[in-house]
Amino acid sequence: MKKTTCNFSLQQYDNIRPTKGYHFYWLTALLLFCSMGSAYAQTSYNKYWVGFADKANTAYLLSHPENFLSERAIDRRLRYRIPLTKADLPVSPNHLQSVRQSGATVLYPSKWFNGAVVSIENPNVLEELKKLPFVTEVTAIGKDKKKRRNVTITSKFSDVQLKVEDEDEPEESIYYGAAFHQIEMLKGDYLHAHGFTGEGMLIAVIDAGFSNVEKMEVFQHLYENHKIVGTYDFVDIDQNPYHDSTHGTHVLSTIAAKLPGQFVGTAPDASFWLFRTEDNKSESRIEEYNWVAAAEMADSAGVDVINTSLGYTTFDDSSMDYSAEDLNGNTAVITRGADIAASKGMLVVVSAGNKGNKQWQYLTTPADADSVLTVGAVNKDEKYASFSSIGLEIDSNNKVKPNLMAQGQSAETVTVDGTIQNANGTSFSSPIMAGLVTCLLQAHPRQNPQAIIAALEKSASQYEIPSQEMGYGIPDFQSAHLRLSELAPSNMPAPATAFVYPNPFDDTARVYYYAPRSESITLQLFDLTGRLYEEYHTDVLSEQPYKFDFSAWQSAPKGIYVVRIANAFERIALQAVKTSD
């Protein structure tokens, strides 16, 4: 069995080189408004967030995203018309070098929040960091892990309770095996029957350890078909996430397992990035920063869907704890990072948390993020599971959380020894949903993630009467698929044909357009920052070929450009690459 991982090392992040077709410059998380420095004894912390004022002297340009984003990531932005911004540019290598020279060890940078997570062994280094002219803040976020007494692998996630499935449980599906009911409840089998099983899609699972995944029979197809695209462990800063916890293993099984007749997940033919961000031996803010680092790496890799079954409200240091008032979608480190991830065109699926029957009843971060799909838990009878975290009052901020529900009570999973067991937790309702969301995206590649979420909400069992416990309820993926299909009815006139040639080009290129009907069209030329270079309107005749020239190309700098063509029935976006100034 071959293991395929990204050949990426920490030494590369200042000067990225292509790895298997991808250019990565990855990053991490932070909370710019979290002023905790005075609350912590400096001697008890050695992990810090260092914020930067600018990205001066960076070698990267927005006109050349191929130097810091993969082709998949660029294509995603083009598909959803998401412009590049300064937040996409890597952190200044000069700033990172100055931080190192001060005596700190850079664990990883963050371009979205412009800074770095560092390790400091000598307290005097703190003062040296604060003296650097570009440093805006130095905030304690964690310390070296140490073992705690009586810690269990699953204690921090969702109070997961595993139990062996009853031997007399009837087999409901020859193909899906034990996983049938949790898929059929959402009508995910309808998508699979129509060929949408995740093929060609890329999912990031951000979790704790993935113990034994590379050795398990239900995951063997991933390695044989090279569908584990990459792995990274942000806790130990290496590429081996296959240890420390079984939580990620159980989560992954609900999506990726493929052992027909025994257990098949919700997106068995997708490809995956596996990220370990959770340190099972402690609980501190650095785990949120780890998560955002993973989300940034996922973005750079061109990931389509992120699933995370992690949540944070309290920490080992109570001064770091969040309150119910902080569940506003704009406060927690991980929440803000999750919304940025969604803004880059990834569909982020998050477990609601398992605090519903505890003193803290509410969601755990990042489930409060505005743009993510937050998933609560129901039982096999489609009733609310009492442990599933509830949202705040719906009318308090005009948003419904959780968004949707899936089976999380007695959900079927595969354990590290290959046995099928059931488990309780929104940790499992979230990935069950995430896999099917990936299949729905596969079926509707031109629909952006927010349109996908909206269609699922409208299909759900409680759309007209959402509640704090169930949100919009249980979605119907068949109904959502048909709803999205109606946006492109079968009687729509034939689409136009358009392409740029030559592409790439040195000086200028032509846009070729074959008109299926007589009409007026609009042509626009943009760069990836959204700057409009040229625009004009013209009439075309039915079934005639046309060639168009943009004069602006001759004087435009080298880089990637987008040609947009709009007619009465469709909008076409073409990518063109100019290779010289």
Side-chain angles (χ1 to χ4, degrees):
M1 185 183 300
K2 181 178 179 181
K3 182 174 79 170
T4 304
T5 58
C6 175
N7 297 320
F8 187 90
S9 66
L10 287 174
Q11 288 71 29
Q12 292 175 300
Y13 68 92
D14 278 343
N15 188 15
I16 299 304
R17 294 291 183 265
T19 301
K20 297 184 180 179
Y22 292 148
H23 296 253
F24 290 120
Y25 190 103
W26 54 272
L27 336 94
T28 190
L30 80 327
L31 215 212
L32 289 175
F33 304 114
C34 191
S35 301
M36 300 180 291
S38 62
Y40 310 133
Q42 292 180 350
T43 56
S44 65
Y45 288 87
N46 67 339
K47 303 294 173 58
Y48 290 81
W49 164 253
V50 182
F52 300 159
D54 54 50
K55 291 185 175 180
N57 301 314
T58 180
Y60 299 95
L61 300 173
L62 291 176
S63 59
H64 285 280
E66 68 274 11
N67 291 329
F68 53 89
L69 293 174
S70 69
E71 184 177 350
R72 280 188 65 105
I74 294 171
D75 287 345
R76 172 165 27 83
R77 283 166 168 75
L78 291 172
R79 183 165 66 251
Y80 299 141
R81 301 178 184 179
I82 298 172
L84 292 173
T85 68
K86 290 182 179 179
D88 292 299
L89 289 173
V91 171
S92 167
N94 289 351
H95 290 353
L96 294 173
Q97 184 59 25
S98 295
V99 168
R100 293 191 191 93
Q101 290 174 348
S102 73
T105 299
V106 175
L107 299 180
Y108 47 78
S110 170
K111 64 183 179 183
W112 289 351
F113 293 103
N114 194 23
V117 170
V118 305
S119 176
I120 297 173
E121 300 304 326
N122 183 348
N124 294 329
V125 172
L126 287 175
E127 296 306 316
E128 295 301 315
L129 283 174
K130 293 175 182 178
K131 292 177 184 178
L132 295 174
F134 56 84
V135 169
T136 59
E137 65 169 316
V138 180
T139 303
I141 59 173
K143 52 191 172 184
D144 283 333
K145 59 190 177 184
K146 60 182 179 179
K147 294 184 178 180
R148 296 188 289 178
R149 291 184 180 180
N150 299 322
V151 159
T152 60
I153 288 174
T154 59
S155 62
K156 295 192 300 179
F157 301 106
S158 298
D159 300 319
V160 180
Q161 301 168 4
L162 294 176
K163 56 184 179 181
V164 179
E165 184 179 5
D166 294 336
E167 293 182 1
D168 60 353
E169 182 80 15
E171 185 178 41
E172 298 181 82
S173 167
I174 295 175
Y175 178 68
Y176 291 106
F180 174 74
H181 185 71
Q182 60 203 35
I183 295 175
E184 188 271 341
M185 177 188 293
L186 307 177
K187 295 190 179 179
D189 52 327
Y190 174 88
L191 290 181
H192 292 172
H194 284 74
F196 304 115
T197 57
E199 185 66 45
M201 304 298 287
L202 187 54
I203 301 172
V205 181
I206 305 179
D207 215 284
F210 298 87
S211 294
N212 216 41
V213 162
E214 78 277 32
K215 302 175 184 177
M216 294 170 61
E217 185 180 10
V218 293
F219 299 125
Q220 187 173 357
H221 68 288
L222 298 177
Y223 296 92
E224 289 178 346
N225 297 308
H226 312 301
K227 294 203 169 186
I228 299 296
V229 177
T231 61
Y232 203 80
D233 184 335
F234 285 92
V235 178
D236 291 339
I237 313 297
D238 60 32
Q239 290 178 282
N240 177 22
Y242 302 114
H243 63 95
D244 192 68
S245 174
T246 63
H247 189 265
T249 307
H250 295 289
V251 166
L252 183 65
S253 72
T254 67
I255 312 174
K258 191 175 184 180
L259 203 59
Q262 297 183 50
F263 197 101
V264 176
T266 50
D269 294 323
S271 297
F272 294 86
W273 269 87
L274 304 181
F275 295 109
R276 177 179 175 239
T277 63
E278 172 72 17
D279 181 359
N280 192 54
K281 300 178 180 67
S282 63
E283 195 83 313
S284 62
R285 284 277 175 89
I286 195 171
E287 291 165 298
E288 296 184 75
Y289 290 73
N290 292 345
W291 190 95
V292 182
E296 291 187 8
M297 193 180 232
D299 172 44
S300 296
V303 159
D304 300 298
V305 174
I306 291 175
N307 179 81
T308 189
S309 294
L310 303 173
Y312 301 92
T313 53
T314 59
F315 300 91
D316 295 340
D317 183 336
S318 61
S319 66
M320 293 184 176
D321 291 354
Y322 294 120
S323 66
E325 288 72 25
D326 292 326
L327 296 179
N328 54 24
N330 299 302
T331 297
V333 172
I334 193 171
T335 296
R336 295 172 65 233
D339 269 339
I340 293 176
S343 76
K344 303 303 178 183
M346 294 181 287
L347 203 159
V348 183
V349 186
V350 177
S351 59
N354 286 323
K355 305 293 186 180
N357 54 6
K358 294 181 168 42
Q359 184 175 359
W360 176 284
Q361 298 177 283
Y362 302 115
L363 306 170
T364 55
T365 64
D368 62 315
D370 296 331
S371 302
V372 308
L373 174 53
T374 302
V375 185
V378 296
N379 62 24
K380 64 181 180 179
D381 296 320
E382 304 185 7
K383 304 298 183 183
Y384 169 71
S386 62
F387 58 77
S388 186
S389 289
I390 67 174
L392 301 177
E393 291 185 15
I394 292 174
D395 60 358
S396 65
N397 49 17
N398 294 318
K399 68 178 179 182
V400 174
K401 292 289 177 179
N403 301 80
L404 297 168
M405 309 294 281
Q407 187 171 350
Q409 185 172 336
S410 296
E412 300 292 347
T413 69
V414 183
T415 69
V416 290
D417 63 2
T419 60
I420 297 170
Q421 296 182 348
N422 55 54
N424 296 331
T426 58
S427 284
F428 310 110
S429 56
S430 178
I432 289 169
M433 184 77 71
L436 292 179
V437 163
T438 302
C439 298
L440 193 59
L441 269 173
Q442 178 193 1
H444 301 279
R446 291 194 177 186
Q447 297 295 329
N448 66 50
Q450 297 307 310
I452 295 290
I453 293 173
L456 287 168
E457 290 175 342
K458 290 176 181 177
S459 77
S461 58
Q462 293 188 185
Y463 180 66
E464 299 296 336
I465 47 169
S467 67
Q468 289 178 261
E469 293 79 15
M470 295 271 288
Y472 290 114
I474 300 169
D476 180 328
F477 274 82
Q478 178 179 351
S479 174
H481 172 61
L482 295 175
R483 182 183 297 273
L484 290 166
S485 298
E486 289 174 359
L487 299 178
S490 58
N491 61 353
M492 177 181 287
T497 300
F499 60 92
V500 176
Y501 185 84
N503 191 16
F505 62 92
D506 292 329
D507 183 34
T508 189
R510 278 184 167 174
V511 178
Y512 291 78
Y513 183 84
Y514 185 85
R517 67 196 71 83
S518 297
E519 61 187 353
S520 297
I521 65 171
T522 299
L523 294 93
Q524 297 173 306
L525 178 64
F526 294 89
D527 65 17
L528 286 185
T529 66
R531 174 187 175 187
L532 177 62
Y533 274 76
E534 195 169 342
E535 174 180 329
Y536 58 88
H537 309 272
T538 188
D539 294 328
V540 295
L541 298 177
S542 175
E543 298 183 353
Q544 295 295 315
Y546 292 87
K547 293 181 288 187
F548 302 104
D549 296 307
F550 284 114
S551 60
W553 257 335
Q554 295 183 355
S555 58
K558 63 182 180 180
I560 297 177
Y561 294 86
V562 178
V563 175
R564 293 181 184 168
I565 306 173
N567 58 39
F569 296 97
E570 63 184 326
R571 293 184 178 183
I572 302 170
L574 305 173
Q575 177 181 318
V577 180
K578 186 178 182 184
T579 58
S580 62
D581 292 323

